[in-house]
Amino acid sequence: MSTEVIKVNINSKEFEVPKGARLIDVCRDKGFDIPSFCYYSDLALQASCRMCLVRIEKMPKLQTSCTIICTDGMIVTTQSEEIEKAQRSMLEFLLANHPLDCPVCDRGGECELQEMTFDWGGLEERFIEKKNYAPEKYLSPMVANDPQRCILCKRCTRVCDEWMGEDAIEAGGRGANTVIGTYGGWLDCSQCGNCIEVCPTGTLLDGTYRHQARPWELAQTISTCSYCSDGCEMSLGSRAGELMRIVARDRYVNGHNGEFLCIKGRFGHPFVNHEDRLRTPLIRYKKGGKLIPATWDEAIRYTAEKLKAAAAAYGPDALGVVGSPRITNEANYALHKFATEVVGTKNYAATDAFSLKPFFDNLGAPLATHRDIRYAKTILLIGGEPEELQPLTAKQIRQAVSNGAAKLIVINSVPIRLVEHAAQFIHIRPGMENAAVWALGHSSNETTAAQKMGIEANELSALRQTITETEGDVVIMFGGELNAAAQMIVAQLANSFRADTRRVLLHPLPLYNNSVGAHDMGMMNGAMSVAEMLDATGSSIRALYVAGSFLPEHLRGREEALAKLDFLAVHELFETDTTAFADVVLPAASFAEIDGTFTNNDGLVQRVRQSIPPVHQAKPDWMITAALAAELGKDFGFQMSASAVFREIAERIPAYSGLRYPVLKDESNPVQARYNIVEPRDLSSALNELKQTVAALPDDGEKSNVTPRVGHELFKIGTLTDKVSQFHLLAAGNPRPDTVRVSPLYQITVDAKLERDAAVSGD
Amino acid sequence: MSIITDVIQSTKAIIQGMGVTLSYIPKRKWTVQYPEEPVTMQPRYRGQHLLHVDELGKEKCVACFLCAAACPSECIYIIAKDDPRLPADRIGVDERYAEVYNIDYGRCIFCGYCVEACPKDAITHGYNFELSVYNRADLLKTKTDLLITTQVQSKNYRVAFSDEDVDSEYKEI
């Protein structure tokens, strides 16, 4: 949008608006309420609901304000008898076939159609004819559908296409017979549930929360997602200590993700109130014995005693402290403080899949926010799979390409789904991402690197040309495939591509919600990595204090490592492979039960707020650590307040200086941590190091041509379906697929009994 | 004022008062010998709530929570549940029903807002009025206590017919 200002007259008042502004946005911004159903900012226009009608002087008939771009001197009337009459008639038509079953409908109370009818509609229904009937059905375990309630605004189809790139839900038929449907009657997609979120009526509804509570009964708490590093802001709806649902609806929360959430964020929450949650602290008094419930005092005392004994016998460095990229900054900070100030060990780490330390140490450009990605002109994606691991980033990339004409360049060894949006796809051999970075680091490396990667050398020069021709933002993203030297080069790439008309922004793609925060809190500065620590158990590491559990890939091949420890204390929500070896298990509170902050891959410091009281006897991780420190004779002085922990973080960590909880209060104005941007560094040593890595790579290899299906990791496998006991393919009308499957989610397996029932009842 | 006038006036007042009392003795009695005799309730009396069922015996309540939302003393607690079975097997008239429906009579003020709010005419005020209990916790009535099919009706009342003149006593005055 240009900065040029034009004058528009709305309801006999003059307003100055930027040129190119949309009339409906301007009117709403200036306080003239305009109703609409189909208009949704940042989606393709539809103009089918005819609710946003306005009178524009010198134009015949009423105009839809969602399709009008303001021009200089435009005279607009938004309220008059004529307009009201048109709107009232439109609503009467919309309600002609809409069943008035609001008491049963889950959308009742937060339904846009309901609200508009109250505000703009007529009071009486004049149609006495029978309404069209269409049976209710489930489109998937997540999405319940009542086609009769549909007003054909087509938000769902546009969201599915533009946000998710899936086209799983579409409109079929013509005119009054149009229905929103799926291919084969079954929603074969990643089940993100965004169609549910944007639906202005009760047509598409959350199948897991179906008929459980009403929106006004729920306490809405704004919090941050605990799955991937995109850090979507969302609203937790809880009632009587139970987390009922998670939404990102505009009326509750206005974060950088808008109304977007993926399946994990939206549906992956039943682990919070899961019956398997640890209830009390557990102590295993004898190795190989049973975990026995204990009181908190006893568990803390026992842990402190054992840690003290291990430190006395083998020295403080024999104690390892392991943080987690999934817990809050506060918790990681407390663990770091515990490791360095209470125990005095140099062995601490976080259970992340890869460390971003080399990247942040050499950061040569600011981090890109998701908004920057949406309006970027060129996006370079090296490795990674945002579609699966950072769905919001993937959505922003898709919109940047399809709605913003950005160029996407993908360097990957597998043709990920985003490739269909890419201007250039550099298909390299598996494991060659480092070689690609080496080639980007200096153009003289291109020929050798191209040979290694199995591509033409001109593909790399074309990439270089695309970036150097860009005017606007260039965003460089990278996944976990890069090694330390490659991360350093990527972090410094900005220096070679920056120009007056070009801004280069960096966007790491770490795996976990607080990977960046765990790095910021210093959990990755320890002397050993997690893998090294596990290898050293029994020799130089004698006792471990772990928050969360080890990742399966850490424990793979090291099954015996934990058994060799003298003492293992674990904070956990559930019993896991790690707690199987633990001597003390302390029940930790999940993200919904605590106050704290996460830092996402934009560097945005985001609040996590308490929605329900901790279940059973769980406690926030930082509180457990502080209690343990107090038992060992060091008072952290947090006084049971997360904000006190954060104040100390802000005082001690430069990137967070000046931040306080009140500063982070408003999720619509997120605050970015101030990372130190370093001067251009000499990269020759890193390039040399990388050269050796690349030289060691094999010269040939099979390229993978299979587009991976998107599947999702959850906190606890199986929890997604817990609330879907009612899932049975509501008989009427939904054709039974050959195999009842919800394809991309390997965790969603339809309960064998339900499948049997469905077969018996013929649906 | 002399003592004589005082005596005369007092006597006059006593005779007047006794006159009124004596004049009522031959008239019809309004006192009800509760609990030996049933109390007559006016049709619009707001007693303990009733949850209704339809002609097929299905609960009318669809657990829309509007009664709980309308309740000024917040004494209604509902847990909704999905009933995915076929209509014939369902508990309620719709696939959504109230698994738990509690009214706390320690809080209820019998204002009738819940009845007004109900879009399905599922809840009305009944005539049970003997709500006193020995234990405060017993004031919490559950769905069994409220459902018209299971609520134990007191024998100590009869409901007046709508054309019955139960108010005439007051009209006289």
Side-chain angles (χ1 to χ4, degrees):
Chain A
M1 214 178 282
S2 73
T3 48
E4 205 180 319
V5 172
I6 53 171
K7 281 205 168 83
V8 178
N9 184 317
I10 306 170
N11 292 350
S12 2
K13 275 191 198 149
E14 286 273 307
F15 293 104
E16 289 191 340
V17 298
K19 195 177 178 187
R22 199 164 290 284
L23 184 55
I24 188 167
D25 290 337
V26 170
C27 290
R28 284 177 175 178
D29 188 38
K30 304 295 176 199
F32 303 108
D33 200 11
I34 293 191
S36 78
F37 291 115
C38 68
Y39 177 67
Y40 195 94
S41 60
D42 219 20
L43 284 185
L45 295 174
Q46 177 77 18
S48 66
C49 75
R50 319 305 290 183
M51 281 301 290
C52 64
L53 295 172
V54 292
R55 166 65 70 190
I56 299 171
E57 220 152 272
K58 292 177 186 150
M59 281 201 181
K61 298 202 251 180
L62 297 175
Q63 300 291 318
T64 49
S65 59
C66 66
T67 55
I68 303 276
I69 302 289
C70 291
T71 52
D72 203 9
M74 190 179 254
I75 299 172
V76 185
T77 314
T78 66
Q79 268 172 327
S80 71
E81 213 164 293
E82 171 196 29
I83 296 168
E84 265 174 39
K85 195 178 164 203
Q87 285 166 340
R88 216 170 23 243
S89 321
M90 275 326 298
L91 268 171
E92 200 171 354
F93 279 130
L94 289 178
L95 289 178
N97 263 323
H98 189 93
L100 300 179
D101 60 351
C102 300
V104 185
C105 177
D106 266 339
R107 192 75 78 190
E110 54 180 12
C111 171
E112 287 178 43
L113 183 62
Q114 212 176 32
E115 281 169 12
M116 300 255 189
T117 312
F118 273 117
D119 290 353
W120 311 88
L123 291 171
E124 249 175 69
E125 198 180 21
R126 287 184 291 176
F127 293 105
I128 48 160
E129 289 78 11
K130 219 168 175 241
K131 299 190 179 204
N132 275 350
Y133 174 72
E136 279 183 77
K137 59 197 176 193
Y138 272 82
L139 297 178
S140 80
M142 304 299 155
V143 185
N145 180 17
D146 185 352
Q148 206 180 344
R149 298 184 186 140
C150 184
I151 56 167
L152 297 173
C153 68
K154 295 190 188 167
R155 279 190 193 177
C156 49
T157 66
R158 285 177 288 157
V159 158
C160 198
D161 175 18
E162 291 170 36
W163 284 8
M164 302 310 292
E166 309 215 17
D167 281 324
I169 190 162
E170 266 302 343
R174 294 282 166 124
N177 297 324
T178 313
V179 283
I180 298 291
T182 55
Y183 299 99
W186 200 248
L187 203 51
D188 189 4
C189 65
S190 70
Q191 312 291 342
C192 64
N194 284 316
C195 47
I196 302 170
E197 196 78 290
V198 298
C199 180
T201 68
T203 310
L204 296 165
L205 289 170
D206 186 336
T208 63
Y209 153 83
R210 189 172 164 79
H211 295 170
Q212 302 223 341
R214 318 271 0 223
W216 63 82
E217 288 261 305
L218 301 177
Q220 302 285 349
T221 315
I222 296 168
S223 192
T224 305
C225 182
S226 62
Y227 277 99
C228 80
S229 57
D230 279 333
C232 293
E233 296 287 346
M234 56 200 196
S235 177
L236 314 182
S238 61
R239 181 190 181 214
E242 192 184 347
L243 184 58
M244 303 295 285
R245 64 159 189 187
I246 290 179
V247 292
R249 213 153 286 156
D250 269 349
R251 64 186 66 210
Y252 305 126
V253 53
N254 183 21
H256 67 303
N257 51 313
E259 294 196 323
F260 175 90
L261 284 181
C262 69
I263 174 169
K264 292 175 281 184
R266 194 183 306 278
F267 301 114
H269 57 78
F271 73 90
V272 173
N273 293 99
H274 199 278
E275 56 180 8
D276 290 352
R277 281 285 297 273
L278 296 176
R279 282 153 203 265
T280 61
L282 302 167
I283 302 179
R284 200 191 307 275
Y285 289 100
K286 249 192 335 212
K287 281 278 172 200
K290 262 203 231 163
L291 283 169
I292 296 166
T295 61
W296 268 106
D297 289 347
E298 167 70 3
I300 295 285
R301 197 189 52 73
Y302 185 81
T303 312
E305 197 177 276
K306 287 285 179 177
L307 289 177
K308 215 187 273 175
Y314 305 102
D317 282 341
L319 261 61
V321 176
V322 181
S324 164
R326 295 197 128 153
I327 56 179
T328 56
N329 286 331
E330 285 73 3
N332 275 317
Y333 176 78
L335 283 166
H336 183 254
K337 191 172 174 178
F338 182 81
T340 52
E341 294 178 21
V342 180
V343 182
T345 176
K346 60 180 195 305
N347 295 323
Y348 50 89
T351 50
D352 206 343
F354 67 99
S355 167
L356 283 170
K357 192 167 158 44
F359 172 76
F360 278 107
D361 285 351
N362 298 290
L363 194 66
L367 295 182
T369 63
H370 285 93
R371 202 189 135 76
D372 292 331
I373 299 171
R374 167 66 183 82
Y375 295 103
K377 289 293 163 215
T378 302
I379 297 165
L380 172 61
L381 174 63
I382 309 168
E385 197 193 345
E387 204 114 46
E388 147 93 41
L389 301 165
Q390 291 86 13
L392 176 61
T393 301
K395 174 232 164 193
Q396 297 295 70
I397 295 175
R398 230 176 271 119
Q399 280 209 294
V401 174
S402 55
N403 301 19
K407 282 186 178 155
L408 171 66
I409 307 167
V410 179
I411 304 180
N412 209 317
S413 55
V414 281
I416 54 173
R417 274 187 50 223
L418 272 176
V419 165
E420 57 192 66
H421 297 276
Q424 191 189 358
F425 172 40
I426 303 182
H427 193 174
I428 57 175
R429 292 195 185 115
M432 295 288 175
E433 284 82 2
N434 289 327
V437 174
W438 182 58
L440 285 172
H442 205 279
S443 51
S444 63
N445 303 335
E446 277 177 11
T447 336
T448 332
Q451 264 175 8
K452 282 276 183 192
M453 291 188 283
I455 57 168
E456 304 292 325
N458 61 7
E459 288 185 51
L460 287 168
S461 49
L463 182 165
R464 207 172 271 278
Q465 196 188 351
T466 313
I467 294 180
T468 47
E469 277 173 3
T470 306
E471 288 189 3
D473 287 355
V474 175
V475 179
I476 301 175
M477 304 183 188
F478 64 94
E481 292 91 341
L482 305 191
N483 67 12
Q487 270 193 34
M488 178 175 169
I489 290 166
V490 171
Q492 288 285 312
L493 265 185
N495 295 322
S496 48
F497 287 129
R498 195 180 288 128
D500 289 343
T501 55
R502 187 164 56 241
R503 194 163 66 132
V504 181
L505 302 166
L506 299 169
H507 191 74
L509 299 173
L511 293 189
Y512 299 108
N513 52 329
N514 206 19
S515 291
V516 177
H519 160 266
D520 294 346
M521 295 304 119
M523 278 317 279
M524 302 195 179
N525 299 341
M528 283 187 183
S529 71
V530 170
E532 285 164 352
M533 239 186 239
L534 284 172
D535 287 335
T537 51
S539 52
S540 59
I541 297 286
R542 295 291 183 155
L544 276 180
Y545 173 40
V546 185
S549 283
F550 291 103
L551 300 178
E553 53 258 47
H554 287 142
L555 289 177
R556 203 168 296 132
R558 301 191 184 93
E559 282 81 5
E560 295 305 307
L562 293 174
K564 288 187 223 151
L565 287 168
D566 288 2
F567 182 71
L568 173 63
V570 183
H571 299 180
E572 247 303 347
L573 271 66
F574 295 99
E575 291 198 18
T576 63
D577 290 347
T578 307
T579 63
F581 296 98
D583 297 290
V584 176
V585 184
L586 304 163
S590 74
F591 80 108
E593 299 148 43
I594 54 168
D595 277 307
T597 53
F598 289 153
T599 308
N600 78 348
N601 55 10
D602 299 348
L604 303 181
V605 187
Q606 300 168 304
R607 275 303 307 277
V608 177
R609 292 184 180 85
Q610 185 179 21
S611 164
I612 56 173
V615 296
H616 308 309
Q617 291 188 22
K619 283 190 183 192
D621 295 274
W622 63 265
M623 233 182 244
I624 303 173
T625 312
L628 207 47
E631 187 70 28
L632 287 167
K634 165 108 183 165
D635 183 10
F636 280 175
F638 296 151
Q639 298 183 346
M640 311 296 275
S641 145
S643 63
V645 190
F646 193 72
R647 189 159 58 235
E648 197 170 309
I649 292 174
E651 278 160 10
R652 298 220 188 158
I653 290 164
Y656 290 65
S657 67
L659 297 183
R660 293 284 186 277
Y661 278 179
V663 181
L664 309 173
K665 185 171 62 176
D666 184 6
E667 81 283 356
S668 54
N669 289 310
V671 182
Q672 202 169 20
R674 282 185 291 276
Y675 292 105
N676 185 27
I677 293 174
V678 299
E679 294 295 309
R681 294 243 163 109
D682 176 28
L683 293 173
S684 50
S685 65
L687 281 169
N688 273 334
E689 195 188 312
L690 206 51
K691 186 177 179 181
Q692 283 158 19
T693 319
V694 172
L697 290 170
D699 280 324
D700 51 356
E702 285 285 305
K703 280 188 189 177
S704 162
N705 285 314
V706 185
T707 302
R709 309 189 92 177
V710 182
H712 298 279
E713 286 281 348
L714 295 171
F715 271 140
K716 187 165 168 61
I717 305 286
T719 49
L720 208 55
T721 45
D722 265 28
K723 279 189 141 183
V724 209
S725 53
Q726 71 270 43
F727 166 58
H728 62 110
L729 296 178
L730 259 189
N734 199 15
R736 183 162 65 93
D738 296 340
T739 48
V740 181
R741 75 198 165 95
V742 180
S743 57
L745 293 156
Y746 54 84
Q747 274 90 2
I748 299 181
T749 42
V750 177
D751 186 348
K753 183 177 171 297
L754 293 174
E755 207 167 349
R756 227 172 24 245
D757 291 351
V760 169
S761 62
D763 46 66
Chain B
M1 204 185 284
S2 72
I3 291 179
I4 297 167
T5 7
D6 207 4
V7 168
I8 293 170
Q9 281 188 349
S10 305
T11 317
K12 219 166 107 188
I14 288 170
I15 292 168
Q16 253 176 4
M18 285 311 285
V20 173
T21 310
L22 292 173
S23 75
Y24 270 89
I25 289 176
K27 284 192 188 164
R28 195 184 146 202
K29 309 290 182 298
W30 286 92
T31 315
V32 177
Q33 293 302 314
Y34 172 84
E36 278 78 36
E37 274 175 40
V39 185
T40 305
M41 292 296 181
Q42 301 187 29
R44 287 170 58 192
Y45 181 76
R46 297 201 288 253
Q48 187 183 11
H49 299 84
L50 279 173
L51 288 176
H52 290 268
V53 294
D54 71 358
E55 55 273 25
L56 297 170
K58 308 279 179 205
E59 288 171 21
K60 278 183 170 181
C61 176
V62 294
C64 72
F65 287 70
L66 283 178
C67 46
C71 182
S73 52
E74 295 183 3
C75 63
I76 303 181
Y77 179 79
I78 306 172
I79 294 179
K81 203 165 180 229
D82 194 80
D83 192 353
R85 291 173 292 180
L86 294 171
D89 307 330
R90 281 182 193 151
I91 291 173
V93 289
D94 219 314
E95 56 178 320
R96 177 192 182 116
Y97 75 102
E99 188 189 23
V100 172
Y101 195 108
N102 293 348
I103 297 183
D104 182 355
Y105 283 99
R107 300 184 66 121
C108 180
I109 57 169
F110 299 92
C111 63
Y113 283 8
C114 48
V115 178
E116 268 181 63
C118 186
K120 297 277 177 186
D121 289 341
I123 187 169
T124 62
H125 277 291
Y127 300 95
N128 264 358
F129 60 97
E130 294 152 319
L131 293 165
S132 45
V133 287
Y134 287 108
N135 188 336
R136 197 175 288 176
D138 292 344
L139 285 170
L140 188 88
K141 301 290 181 191
T142 59
K143 205 166 98 173
T144 337
D145 302 324
L146 299 171
L147 212 55
I148 193 163
T149 47
T150 49
Q151 187 176 91
V152 182
Q153 294 299 320
S154 163
K155 291 191 178 67
N156 296 332
Y157 72 83
R158 63 169 280 273
V159 184
F161 296 107
S162 50
D163 55 350
E164 195 176 322
D165 188 11
V166 263
D167 288 340
S168 51
E169 179 202 9
Y170 308 103
K171 278 176 198 155
E172 274 173 27
I173 299 162

